[in-house]
Amino acid sequence: MSAFPARGFSSMGASTTGQSPALVARVNEKKAELENLKELRDLSAAMASQMEALAQRLSTLSDGTEAIALVLSNWHNVLRAINMASAKLPKPSEGAQEPSENDLPQTLVRIPTEHAPALQAHAEVAAEED
């Protein structure tokens, strides 16, 4: 046997009746602090996932903004071409009627429509995925 007296686990402070009230209050305070830290951890994880979702949405928004900026940057050229074509039109006199088809400038932009059904189907599939 050992020279030290044997003690059971129940006598090593499992009960709080023999402890000082200050120590009990400190343990309770630490338990409350632990619960608050666990709640903070959970809320932080939720906020991190929300921030990741927001970052993804902002990335999509940024890509869309770049596309819109590209389209808007081309409008200056389109309007300039329309202005140049309109400047070559003969000015109607006071008694003249509306200009005929022959008096109007040629079509400036031709948009091929043979691929329109395929593009529409592709757009619908993309909209369903979102």
Side-chain angles (χ1 to χ4, degrees):
M1 292 269 176
S2 74
F4 298 107
R7 291 187 185 167
F9 285 111
S10 63
S11 65
M12 294 187 87
S15 71
T16 58
T17 57
Q19 296 178 353
S20 69
L23 186 57
V24 171
R26 180 110 167 114
V27 167
N28 289 336
E29 182 181 310
K30 289 296 179 181
K31 285 181 182 178
E33 184 179 348
L34 177 64
E35 289 301 317
N36 289 336
L37 287 173
K38 285 180 181 179
E39 184 180 354
L40 180 63
R41 179 196 60 201
D42 295 340
L43 291 174
S44 296
M47 188 173 91
S49 65
Q50 288 176 355
M51 288 296 171
E52 288 173 0
L54 181 63
Q56 184 179 8
R57 288 179 183 168
L58 287 175
S59 174
T60 302
L61 183 63
S62 174
D63 294 343
T65 303
E66 289 173 7
I68 291 171
L70 181 63
V71 169
L72 289 178
S73 69
N74 288 331
W75 272 107
H76 174 72
N77 295 330
V78 171
L79 293 176
R80 189 174 67 198
I82 291 171
N83 188 28
M84 288 172 47
S86 298
K88 305 239 183 212
L89 285 175
K91 303 289 182 207
S93 62
E94 290 292 321
Q97 299 173 0
E98 290 190 26
S100 67
E101 286 284 327
N102 296 335
D103 294 340
L104 296 176
Q106 285 188 340
T107 304
L108 296 176
V109 178
R110 292 194 172 98
I111 301 172
T113 58
E114 66 230 17
H115 301 296
L119 290 174
Q120 175 125 12
H122 179 68
E124 289 173 358
V125 168
E128 289 175 5
E129 289 177 358
D130 290 338

